Amino acid sequence: MVAERLRRNERSGRLVPDEPPDVVFEVRIAEGAEAERLRVEQARVLWEVMEWVAQRRSMHGQDHAA
C-alpha cells in the first residue's frame, strides 16, 4: 500500500487525504437468483453508507433538518 499524503483541512482542522482516492468498479450482468442476491446486497450497502453519511453530518453540525 502506498503511503497516503495528508494535509490539514483549513475549515475543519482535520487531517484529510491530499488527493481524492482512486475508485475502481466492475460491472457484472446477473440473472435469476444471483441477480436477486446482488440486488439485496447492493441495497444493504447503500443503506449503510447513507446512514454513515447522515450520522457524520449530524455529529459535525451539518444537518440542515428543521
Side-chain angles (χ1 to χ4, degrees):
M1 180 175 234
V2 176
E4 189 174 300
R5 295 181 133 191
L6 299 176
R7 65 176 173 77
R8 187 144 325 259
N9 181 296
E10 293 176 17
R11 186 172 173 201
S12 69
R14 297 175 124 187
L15 289 175
V16 295
D18 199 26
E19 296 181 12
D22 292 334
V23 176
V24 178
F25 62 93
E26 178 181 326
V27 175
R28 288 180 47 194
I29 298 174
E31 296 178 355
E34 182 184 18
E36 178 63 15
R37 183 188 62 75
L38 288 172
R39 182 192 67 76
V40 170
E41 182 178 356
Q42 288 172 346
R44 180 187 54 78
V45 168
L46 289 173
W47 181 265
E48 290 176 4
V49 168
M50 295 306 296
E51 283 185 319
W52 181 84
V53 168
Q55 289 171 355
R56 303 265 314 161
R57 287 178 58 104
S58 182
M59 286 177 8
H60 299 293
Q62 297 175 0
D63 189 2
H64 299 293

